[in-house]
């Protein structure tokens, strides 16, 4: 019998994912393992679940066949996992849903090994990302720097985790060890849109105007705004000010300025360069040898998730975008940031070690963070994460109780902030506070971990 397997064959590894970025990540992560595991993907019905078109795009080139994928409702998830006799479950989802699913998996007997991870650039390491995933046995990240920074965060906070390294699926097979290709034939300027970076409408309008200028500067070459979703489709993060609407507000547009909802891989096939603020598409472009501009307009800050791209020497201005002065990363940056040697990956070896512990009955329990509210709190979190997919009576009760309580709590928090602002005394004359950049103090919202 193979160590840790249910039936003496290959380990059965089942991924659960719902949103566009996590489905793409989970499919590619398992698809890259080859035949060593019996891998499949369950697409969980949630308020943000992928459309059929998004699912097809995510599976394209992932290595995971369509016959290994099925959609599933939360109400039958536990029964399906038992039927599949899953040895390992990989949860690809936003933090709140990971917490709900990991809690459910902890109640199964025998409990599967629980693996989780983040689908892209995860610098800076955040406390929330760790706390939401505490009941997972293994936390997969994608660079040596991420392993180091998440490990340091766990050491500071006491939230112990087991971290593993996997090559970012979209960076596998980089064209050269240096990640550059001298014979890029594409001519498109591809802009990788993000739902929440930057967050402010005026900042997104500024980017839109820049793209119009770039298109007008050279009518013979396209500017492609690569959207995360078509109209009516959901994304991992809600987008309040979409680029199609912003661009339309600017009046007649150059004919060579187009939008696309095709896969990023398809968009990059005709790209001469990629522009972004901090999208993981920058890593995908670098892997293909396509030069990049990380827009410096809004500065560098943890909220913009662009510190690692700044360290790669990819920052450039709007004028550089218009002139298409793209950049390749600093070669010294590569090994620590997503382009380590494949043999440095240890996530599958760590999964195998956990499977051996499970087979021997020594897989340790993983406790979640203790929070006030007990079962009612658990039901509330489940209802919020799953929406209409949670049909339980306890979820309905928790939601009915929790919504007004949350409103009261938010009002109280705002009142405390106003009071604190009213009593705050000005500093002494001549005092100053150093600010790294305007973006460091700009109101913005980070990704949900």
């Amino acid at each position: 019998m193979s160590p840790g397997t249910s039936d003496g064959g290959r380990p059965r590894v089942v991924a659960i994912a719902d949103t566009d970025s996590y489905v793409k990540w989970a499919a590619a992560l398992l698809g890259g393992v080859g035949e060593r595991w019996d891998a499949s993907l369950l697409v969980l019905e949630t308020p943000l679940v992928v459309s059929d078109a998004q699912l097809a795009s995510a599976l394209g080139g992932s290595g995971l066949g369509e016959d290994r994928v099925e959609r599933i409702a939360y109400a039958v998830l536990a029964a399906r996992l038992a039927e599949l006799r899953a040895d390992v479950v990989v949860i690809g989802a936003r933090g709140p849903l990971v917490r709900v699913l990991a809690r459910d998996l902890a109640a199964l007997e025998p409990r599967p090994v629980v693996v989780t991870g983040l689908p892209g650039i995860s610098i800076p390491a955040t406390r929330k990302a760790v706390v939401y995933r505490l009941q997972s046995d293994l936390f997969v990240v994608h660079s040596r720097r991420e392993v180091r920074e998440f490990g340091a965060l766990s050491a500071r906070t006491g939230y112990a985790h087991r971290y593993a390294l996997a090559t970012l699926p979209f960076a596998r097979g980089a064209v050269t060890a240096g990640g550059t290709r001298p014979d890029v034939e594409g001519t498109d300027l591809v802009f990788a849109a993000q739902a929440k970076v930057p967050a402010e409408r005026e900042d997104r309008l500024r980017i839109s105007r820049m793209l119009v200028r770039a298109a007008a500067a050279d009518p013979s070459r396209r500017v492609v705004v690569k959207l995360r979703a078509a109209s009516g489709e959901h994304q991992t993060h809600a987008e309040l000010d979409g680029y199609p609407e912003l661009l339309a507000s600017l009046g007649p547009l150059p004919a060579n300025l187009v939008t696309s909802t095709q896969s990023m891989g398809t968009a990059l096939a005709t790209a001469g360069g990629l522009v972004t603020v901090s999208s993981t598409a920058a890593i995908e472009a670098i892997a293909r040898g396509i030069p990049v501009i990380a827009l410096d307009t809004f500065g560098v800050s943890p909220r913009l998730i662009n510190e690692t791209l700044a360290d790669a020497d990819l920052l450039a201005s709007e004028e550089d975008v218009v002139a298409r002065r793209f950049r390749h990363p600093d070669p010294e940056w590569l090994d620590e940031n997503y382009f380590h040697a494949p043999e440095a990956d240890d996530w599958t070896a760590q999964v195998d070690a956990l499977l051996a512990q499970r087979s021997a009955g020594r897989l340790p329990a993983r406790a979640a963070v203790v929070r006030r509210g007990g079962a009612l709190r658990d039901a509330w979190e489940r209802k919020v994460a799953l929406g209409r997919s949670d049909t339980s009576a306890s979820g309905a009760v928790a939601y009915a109780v929790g919504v007004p309580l949350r409103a009261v709590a938010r009002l109280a928090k705002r009142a405390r902030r106003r009071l604190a602002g009213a009593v705050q005394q000005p500093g002494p004359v001549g005092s100053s506070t150093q600010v790294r950049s305007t973006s460091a103090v700009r109101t913005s919202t980070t990704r949900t971990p």
Side-chain angles (χ1 to χ4, degrees):
M1 176 178 288
S2 300
T5 62
S6 297
D7 63 353
R10 293 175 297 161
R12 289 178 174 169
V13 182
V14 179
I16 305 171
D18 64 336
T19 67
D20 58 333
S21 58
Y22 279 104
V23 167
K24 181 179 179 182
W25 173 78
L29 189 71
L30 294 190
V33 173
E35 297 298 318
R36 65 181 295 173
W37 294 339
D38 178 6
S40 58
L41 170 63
L42 300 179
V43 178
L44 184 64
E45 297 292 341
T46 71
L48 300 177
V49 70
V50 291
S51 68
D52 289 342
Q54 286 174 309
L55 178 57
S57 177
L59 293 178
S62 70
L64 192 69
E66 292 183 9
D67 61 325
R68 306 300 296 167
V69 181
E70 64 180 282
R71 293 183 180 271
I72 192 165
Y74 174 74
V76 298
L77 178 62
R80 183 60 176 142
L81 290 172
E83 182 182 6
L84 291 169
R85 289 179 292 175
D87 299 302
V88 181
V89 174
V90 178
I91 307 177
R94 298 192 303 170
L97 182 55
V98 173
R99 177 158 62 189
V100 170
L101 296 178
R103 186 166 58 230
D104 291 345
L105 293 171
L108 297 181
E109 184 60 41
R111 178 176 77 81
V113 172
V114 180
V115 179
T116 189
L118 297 169
I121 294 173
S122 303
I123 298 294
T126 66
R127 178 182 174 277
K128 278 187 176 182
V130 172
V131 170
Y132 279 132
R133 294 168 172 83
L134 277 179
Q135 279 194 280
S136 301
D137 298 293
L138 192 65
F139 191 145
V140 176
V141 292
H142 298 291
S143 74
R144 297 181 192 272
R145 178 178 175 181
E146 289 179 356
V147 171
R148 187 169 61 249
E149 294 202 9
F150 272 96
L153 176 64
S154 284
R156 290 195 307 271
T157 61
Y159 294 125
H161 237 308
R162 181 171 181 165
Y163 297 101
L165 180 63
T167 299
L168 193 67
F170 327 123
R172 283 198 294 257
V175 290
T176 71
T180 61
R181 188 181 72 199
D183 62 337
V184 174
E185 297 178 354
T187 59
D188 291 346
L189 183 161
V190 176
F191 172 69
Q194 295 165 266
K196 299 178 75 171
V197 180
E200 298 298 323
R201 180 180 177 86
E202 190 53 46
D203 292 342
R204 297 170 77 83
L205 271 171
R206 180 168 180 170
I207 289 175
S208 300
R209 296 187 187 101
M210 175 197 72
L211 296 172
V212 170
R213 287 198 295 131
D218 186 351
S220 69
R221 293 187 288 180
R222 295 197 309 169
V223 172
V224 179
V225 183
K226 170 62 183 73
L227 306 175
R228 293 291 302 272
S231 178
E233 291 180 327
H234 300 296
Q235 301 181 54
T236 301
H237 304 292
E239 185 172 35
L240 296 180
D241 296 297
Y243 284 100
E245 179 264 324
L246 294 172
L247 289 167
S249 73
L250 300 179
L253 300 174
N256 61 324
L257 176 58
V258 301
T259 60
S260 172
T261 58
Q262 293 181 303
S263 70
M264 181 56 71
T266 300
L268 291 177
T270 55
L274 179 123
V275 178
T276 185
V277 176
S278 61
S279 172
T280 302
I283 308 302
E284 194 168 348
I286 292 168
R288 290 170 173 249
I290 297 169
V292 172
I293 288 177
L295 195 61
D296 69 2
T297 300
F298 313 108
V300 178
S301 74
R303 289 182 177 273
L304 291 170
I305 325 171
N306 63 351
E307 293 172 311
T308 187
L309 298 181
D311 293 342
D313 196 27
L314 294 174
L315 291 184
S317 69
E318 294 178 50
E319 295 308 316
D320 289 318
V321 173
V322 173
R324 299 183 182 231
R325 291 189 286 263
F326 301 106
R327 299 170 176 234
H328 289 288
D330 181 345
E332 295 184 359
W333 173 87
L334 295 166
D335 185 63
E336 287 292 300
N337 297 275
Y338 312 106
F339 294 94
H340 54 270
E343 54 267 27
D345 288 351
D346 65 352
W347 85 279
T348 56
Q350 292 211 47
V351 170
D352 286 340
L354 288 164
L355 280 169
Q357 285 184 280
R358 178 178 183 261
S359 182
R362 294 186 288 104
L363 186 64
R366 297 285 302 179
V369 174
V370 177
R371 303 174 316 287
R372 290 179 292 181
L376 187 64
R377 174 68 174 268
D378 291 347
W380 160 261
E381 291 174 350
R382 184 179 66 243
K383 185 66 176 178
V384 170
L386 292 162
R388 288 179 295 179
S389 295
D390 175 28
T391 58
S392 67
S394 60
V397 171
Y399 196 74
V401 173
V403 169
L405 286 179
R406 182 172 61 172
V408 170
R410 286 178 172 174
L411 287 172
K413 186 175 182 179
R414 290 173 187 165
R416 288 195 298 269
R417 285 178 176 173
R418 285 196 295 268
L419 180 61
V423 301
Q424 185 177 8
Q425 297 298 317
V429 175
S431 65
S432 64
T433 301
Q434 185 176 5
V435 178
R436 182 173 182 182
S437 70
T438 56
S439 70
V441 295
R442 180 168 304 182
T443 301
S444 184
T445 306
T446 61
R447 66 198 186 281
T448 300

